[in-house]
Amino acid sequence: MVLDGLSYGHSGGAVQDKAAFVDELTSRRSAFPSIVLSDRSVSVVGEDAIARHVFSGETTSGGKTVPVRIGVMQVWHRDGGRWRLLARQAYKI
């Protein structure tokens, strides 16, 4: 689902590589009880695509649930006929 060179940027400024992203995702240290994606757009340029959306919902971490509303831009690359994530940057809105 992600490329080896993944750059995964969070709205708070942290940036993870593929290993850190996969570790965070599989650790289940945080969860998203609700997610709504809105204002979605995608533009394809050759073997790459730029996707944007607004991510709204809730996150639960350390026993606390807090609301989330961020903008997200992703860069996807077509690799062997399937789309894989190359970069993601979230930003506060």
Side-chain angles (χ1 to χ4, degrees):
M1 180 164 181
V2 299
L3 290 166
D4 287 340
L6 177 69
S7 176
Y8 193 91
H10 294 270
S11 63
V15 177
Q16 296 174 309
D17 62 10
K18 179 181 177 179
F21 169 73
V22 170
D23 178 60
E24 180 82 18
L25 190 63
T26 58
S27 73
R28 300 188 184 258
R29 288 186 289 266
S30 60
F32 294 91
S34 68
I35 296 173
V36 175
L37 303 181
S38 61
D39 301 326
R40 293 177 285 188
S41 68
V42 176
S43 61
V44 177
V45 181
E47 297 297 310
D48 301 309
I50 300 169
R52 296 178 184 271
H53 62 268
V54 173
F55 179 109
S56 302
E58 297 177 322
T59 182
T60 302
S61 181
K64 291 175 56 179
T65 299
V66 295
V68 176
R69 181 169 165 80
I70 56 174
V72 176
M73 184 194 71
Q74 300 172 324
V75 178
W76 293 81
H77 179 73
R78 192 178 351 230
D79 180 42
R82 55 184 212 174
W83 290 101
R84 296 176 62 187
L85 185 63
L86 174 62
R88 181 249 198 201
Q89 183 60 58
Y91 52 92
K92 296 176 183 178
I93 52 174

